Amino acid sequence: QPLEGKSPDGSTFSLLLVDTEGFESTGRSTAYDDRVFAVSALLSSLLIYNLPEAIRESDIAKLSFAVQLAQGLYERGGGAEGQPSEGGDLQPSALDETRNDPVSLHGGAKQGTQSGGGAGSFQPGAMLWVIQRDFLMGANASEVVRQALATVPNPSGDPEVQQLNAIRGSLTSLAPISTGYSLPQPHLDRTRLCDLPDSELAPQYVSQRQGLKELVKKMTAPKLIGGVPVTGSQLADVLERLVGALNAQEIPNIMSMLDAFNRDLVSRCVATYVEELQQLKLPLPEGELEAGCQAAEARALQTYRRSQLGTSTGPGVLLQQELLKVLAREKHTRQVENEATSSLVCGRLEAACEEQLESLQSMKLPSLRKFDASFQKCAQAFTAQCAGPAAAAFHERLEKAGRRAANYFHKEYNDRLFVGLLVLCLGAGVVFRFLVKSRIGEFAGWGGAAFLQLYPHFCQGSMYDTQGWAITVHVWEFMMSALFGFDFAWLLWLMLLVALLFLRRSWRRHGWWLGVLGRWGSKKGTVRQPSGGLRDLDV
């Protein structure tokens, strides 16, 4: 039944005392305790918090969490949307309240009529800490409450101290008017306290209990919403909507917070795993990529198991399995990227080698050694840079392209060398006939040209398969290597130029070198007659 209370102005009001379960109640979840405390903080003008011992930081942390829940609940209900109407009916969202200082209500110094903000802020009532303990280390209960809620100096900016001050500050915002009251132990046999009369309880406890009742009456004030006292029907309407808002929203508890922490840990492990995979330079051989993924996965699992909160069974196993699924998905993504990068890089290298093979087909002075050396250099660059799943297929394609280009080049090489020899023989015949006048040189030139033209018609098999042609190829390759095949070929050309200049100078002085072959050929081409005369055998 409500009790009768009296305001400082002499008016009376109904005082409703509600006893609720506290934190860590038996057979209830922490979410249930938090809901009860949040509703109590919103509906009461005076909140009494009973403690069996001194105030602990865990108590403050629990209360702070419930305060934040109450603030969110108030905002969810749309605290500033309405006010009590002139007729006294509570509007749909009128959850705002005005908290008056109980001391000022009874003639003391007034500290304020409202606690911060307007109608849209959470403004619960005062708070009374009842500490059931005989010994408070020389301090009274009010001093213990002030010390417990006071902020801790933090000149170094310690994050843990900042969090502690934030918790104490949120609880202070719950009830800027907070005081304490201590009660001694009522009886040694605490299991029969409800059955014992006051005569069997400790006299000091009975006396202080009476003082607690007087203090409660003194601190109690009418519950205000929008500056207007709340009637019973209005309070019931507020309670109904608060309960509806509470039941409509999921309230976090210790298990849900553990689950949220572990899920955040899973996200961090996945982010670290992805970052390590991104550091692997693609393309990579499949074995190396697999080894890198396994190493990164092992480190991610080690981080998860080391930092996971709670047991490693049940939800912990499910989260670890979820982590493994996400890691497998990220691994597959990286493998697909490796395949794409491998195809791109290997395709570019293979195309460059094929372009080089095409350019080698049209070299002005064909050389097998230069063709093979250029292709081998390109193939080595391809092997060094092309890796990953596409390497084998592109390597096979490059080998086939190399064989095709080599077969075509060899045919063209032999044909061009044959034509070159034919032109050389014809040129030698003309030069030694009209310019140098060397019979043997002329005969060699015309004979070589005739041999090259008649061999395919009178001999079986290809000339290119004979030993003589192989010697010709070796001689040509030696000349190409000597003249163009090394870095200091210019030095050989310089020596040849010097030699030509020297011969030209000697010819101008002596005039002998140009007629050597001519005179030698003339001597070999004449015979002496018996009569001593000479007969010219020239035809």
Side-chain angles (χ1 to χ4, degrees):
Q1 295 293 330
L3 303 178
E4 183 177 331
K6 183 175 291 188
S7 299
D9 58 0
S11 61
T12 60
F13 59 89
S14 297
L15 175 61
L16 181 62
L17 301 177
V18 180
D19 183 19
T20 64
E21 294 173 307
F23 291 107
E24 300 178 358
S25 58
T26 304
R28 298 291 184 177
S29 65
T30 54
Y32 176 83
D33 298 338
D34 296 334
R35 285 184 173 94
V36 170
F37 186 88
V39 171
S40 301
L42 286 173
L43 292 180
S44 63
S45 61
L46 174 63
L47 182 62
I48 303 174
Y49 187 61
N50 189 22
L51 287 173
E53 296 178 355
I55 301 175
R56 298 171 298 182
E57 290 297 335
S58 59
D59 299 320
I60 298 176
K62 294 174 184 176
L63 290 173
S64 175
F65 175 75
V67 168
Q68 296 179 27
L69 176 61
Q71 176 69 50
L73 178 63
Y74 177 81
E75 295 175 353
R76 183 180 180 87
E81 293 180 4
Q83 302 291 347
S85 65
E86 295 180 358
D89 295 332
L90 190 66
Q91 299 303 314
S93 300
L95 298 181
D96 191 19
E97 59 201 55
T98 302
R99 181 176 63 249
N100 295 325
D101 188 348
V103 178
S104 65
L105 290 175
H106 297 276
K110 188 174 182 180
Q111 297 180 1
T113 59
Q114 290 187 347
S115 176
S121 62
F122 171 47
Q123 301 171 356
M127 187 170 183
L128 176 60
W129 301 69
V130 179
I131 305 174
Q132 297 182 13
R133 189 175 181 182
D134 298 322
F135 181 62
L136 294 175
M137 299 183 180
N140 59 39
S142 297
E143 292 177 353
V144 171
V145 172
R146 283 194 294 270
Q147 293 175 3
L149 299 181
T151 57
V152 179
N154 187 21
S156 60
D158 189 346
E160 294 185 0
V161 178
Q162 290 179 356
Q163 183 178 6
L164 175 64
N165 289 335
I167 292 174
R168 294 185 176 187
S170 64
L171 192 56
T172 302
S173 66
L174 166 69
I177 304 170
S178 294
T179 186
Y181 194 89
S182 62
L183 285 176
Q185 293 291 338
H187 196 276
L188 295 178
D189 189 359
R190 303 188 64 179
T191 58
R192 297 190 304 117
L193 289 179
C194 296
D195 301 329
L196 295 176
D198 290 349
S199 58
E200 297 186 20
L201 300 179
Q204 184 181 4
Y205 169 78
V206 175
S207 175
Q208 293 190 11
R209 185 185 64 181
Q210 186 62 31
L212 176 62
K213 293 180 181 180
E214 297 298 328
L215 179 60
V216 169
K217 290 182 180 180
K218 182 179 178 180
M219 296 183 65
T220 302
K223 183 67 177 178
L224 303 178
I225 294 181
V228 180
V230 179
T231 64
S233 60
Q234 293 171 347
L235 189 63
D237 182 61
V238 172
L239 177 60
E240 182 179 359
R241 287 188 285 109
L242 285 177
V243 172
L246 276 173
N247 293 333
Q249 182 173 359
E250 182 180 357
I251 305 299
N253 52 34
I254 187 62
M255 293 303 298
S256 63
M257 287 188 288
L258 284 178
D259 183 70
F261 174 83
N262 289 332
R263 289 187 178 278
D264 180 69
L265 176 61
V266 168
S267 300
R268 286 186 279 117
C269 290
V270 171
T272 303
Y273 177 79
V274 172
E275 183 179 356
E276 291 188 15
L277 292 190
Q278 292 295 332
Q279 293 176 358
L280 298 176
K281 188 176 181 180
L282 302 181
L284 284 176
E286 292 179 302
E288 294 185 15
L289 180 61
E290 180 68 23
C293 292
Q294 290 181 356
E297 179 180 330
R299 286 189 289 269
L301 289 177
Q302 183 179 6
T303 301
Y304 174 78
R305 291 165 182 165
R306 183 176 61 249
S307 304
Q308 175 196 5
L309 295 180
T311 61
S312 58
T313 59
V317 173
L318 296 178
L319 278 179
Q320 182 171 331
Q321 293 176 352
E322 181 178 346
L323 173 61
L324 291 174
K325 290 180 180 179
V326 177
L327 296 184
R329 185 168 62 248
E330 296 296 337
K331 174 183 176 181
H332 176 70
T333 302
R334 198 56 175 167
Q335 288 174 339
V336 172
E337 292 176 354
N338 188 45
E339 292 178 1
T341 306
S342 176
S343 298
L344 180 64
V345 173
C346 294
R348 185 177 64 250
L349 293 172
E350 192 259 346
C353 288
E354 288 192 0
E355 290 180 1
Q356 186 172 0
L357 289 174
E358 292 180 1
S359 64
L360 290 174
Q361 301 291 342
S362 59
M363 67 173 67
K364 295 182 179 180
L365 295 176
S367 172
L368 289 175
R369 185 174 300 177
K370 182 178 179 181
F371 179 89
D372 293 339
S374 299
F375 178 70
Q376 289 299 324
K377 183 178 180 180
C378 185
Q380 290 175 0
F382 175 88
T383 304
Q385 300 179 35
C386 176
F394 279 95
H395 190 271
E396 183 178 357
R397 288 178 54 179
L398 181 60
E399 287 184 348
K400 291 181 179 179
R403 287 194 296 268
R404 289 195 304 268
N407 294 334
Y408 181 79
F409 180 80
H410 287 176
K411 182 180 180 303
E412 292 294 320
Y413 173 84
N414 290 328
D415 293 343
R416 292 177 65 183
L417 186 57
F418 176 85
V419 173
L421 286 176
L422 181 60
V423 172
L424 179 64
C425 291
L426 294 174
V430 173
V431 169
F432 289 114
R433 173 67 179 177
F434 298 103
L435 297 180
V436 180
K437 300 293 184 181
S438 173
R439 298 288 185 238
I440 188 173
E442 181 184 358
F443 177 78
W446 297 121
F451 174 79
L452 292 176
Q453 286 294 322
L454 296 176
Y455 183 88
H457 300 284
F458 295 97
C459 298
Q460 295 181 354
S462 175
M463 179 189 298
Y464 302 151
D465 298 331
T466 62
Q467 185 67 26
W469 186 259
I471 295 174
T472 303
V473 170
H474 286 302
V475 172
W476 172 255
E477 291 295 329
F478 174 77
M479 292 174 58
M480 293 298 297
S481 177
L483 297 177
F484 306 103
F486 59 97
D487 295 336
F488 297 98
W490 60 270
L491 183 59
L492 179 60
W493 284 97
L494 181 61
M495 293 173 62
L496 291 176
L497 180 61
V498 171
L500 289 176
L501 292 175
F502 176 76
L503 292 175
R504 184 170 179 271
R505 183 182 181 88
S506 299
W507 173 73
R508 286 184 176 181
R509 285 188 177 183
H510 306 287
W512 60 270
W513 72 278
L514 192 58
V516 170
L517 291 176
R519 289 195 298 269
W520 182 79
S522 298
K523 291 180 181 181
K524 297 294 289 183
T526 58
V527 295
R528 188 176 298 274
Q529 295 180 353
S531 59
L534 295 176
R535 182 168 58 90
D536 194 354
L537 296 181
D538 292 342
V539 178

